[in-house]
Amino acid sequence: MTDGPGAADSNGSLRLLLIGPPGAGKGTQAARLSEAYGIPAVSTGDIFRENVKEGTELGVKAKEYMDAGHYVPDSLTNELVRDRLSQPDVADGFLLDGYPRTLQQVEELDDILGVNAASLDAVVVLTADTDEVVQRLLKRSAEQGRSDDTDEVIRRRLDVYAEQTAPLIDVYAQRGLLIEVDGLGAIDEVTGRIIAALASR
Ligand code: AMP
């Protein structure tokens, strides 16, 4: 890694989004960035999976969509994020991993953050070639047995990403917040690239 993050503003707060297709390594990088910058990583996918495991009402609803490779409806997802971002630990910064994923979620996040998009510092997009992400996800399926990492569901998740989430890249580019980073390569290398890109903003 590099000498220091160097991307936080004067009061140390840093609000980042991490976007990328399934299998691009968002979860892995989110954990590392969270540590490097001392900010909580909030992953909607992880929160949904915990709820599924605990059998909560939200989990029961979410599971149906997740297992089919579809997005959980915006209404459920937005409510969850609004609640999570109202907690004190994220008052001084956060890294959102896997949210927003639809244009409606972008609007909701703007609203949650006080209608002021400037309160986000950067949006990191991890790019990855489709064949590579399919291979990674199949490998993860063998290792972790995630119910949404089967061949058919992986293809659907990639299609859903292309249709519903890829358009967000333009939105954040227009706001001058976009940082695109190649997600291929060793984990450390990718983390280094993200930190360097954030530091040179
Ligand atoms: P992830 O771990 O980020 O790949 O998320 C796993 C699954 O959780 C996704 O395929 C969706 O079904 C659901 N999910 C996670 N985040 C969102 C979101 N922001 N909007 C809708 N569904 C989501």
Side-chain angles (χ1 to χ4, degrees):
M1 273 206 237
T2 62
D3 292 341
D9 61 26
S10 53
N11 62 21
S13 78
L14 186 62
R15 296 185 179 88
L16 300 177
L17 307 183
L18 189 56
I19 296 180
K26 291 192 300 297
T28 305
Q29 296 302 331
R32 289 167 156 250
L33 296 170
S34 160
E35 201 184 317
Y37 295 112
I39 49 176
V42 173
S43 155
T44 43
D46 282 351
I47 298 173
F48 284 134
R49 277 185 292 278
E50 275 159 30
N51 277 274
V52 169
K53 212 162 99 192
E54 286 165 15
T56 66
E57 199 182 324
L58 174 66
V60 171
K61 284 184 195 156
K63 186 176 187 336
E64 196 187 316
Y65 298 98
M66 294 168 79
D67 284 352
H70 291 298
Y71 285 166
V72 176
D74 285 335
S75 55
L76 291 176
T77 310
N78 287 336
E79 195 185 318
L80 174 151
V81 173
R82 185 176 283 278
D83 176 64
R84 180 65 187 85
L85 291 185
S86 72
Q87 291 169 24
D89 66 316
V90 294
D92 288 327
F94 54 77
L95 167 69
L96 274 179
D97 158 17
Y99 182 94
R101 264 170 148 116
T102 66
L103 291 167
Q104 219 260 312
Q105 292 178 15
V106 171
E107 277 179 34
E108 183 80 6
L109 180 62
D110 287 346
D111 189 60
I112 294 171
L113 296 178
V115 196
N116 182 4
S119 59
L120 286 174
D121 294 286
V123 176
V124 177
V125 176
L126 272 185
T127 60
D129 167 83
T130 303
D131 288 340
E132 171 71 23
V133 298
V134 171
Q135 287 315 311
R136 284 190 191 183
L137 291 167
L138 289 172
K139 189 163 165 259
R140 182 171 76 185
S141 155
E143 288 165 2
Q144 299 178 9
R146 254 176 69 162
S147 54
D148 58 349
D149 278 344
T150 62
D151 199 39
E152 190 196 333
V153 176
I154 288 169
R155 296 282 168 192
R156 169 130 2 99
R157 286 162 63 211
L158 287 166
D159 286 348
V160 170
Y161 176 83
E163 270 165 35
Q164 300 203 44
T165 305
L168 274 56
I169 295 172
D170 278 349
V171 172
Y172 287 119
Q174 278 165 20
R175 295 185 187 181
L177 290 172
L178 201 70
I179 292 180
E180 271 192 290
V181 175
D182 183 357
L184 292 190
I187 292 172
D188 275 346
E189 257 171 61
V190 177
T191 309
R193 272 178 220 149
I194 298 172
I195 289 177
L198 284 168
S200 66
R201 270 175 56 78

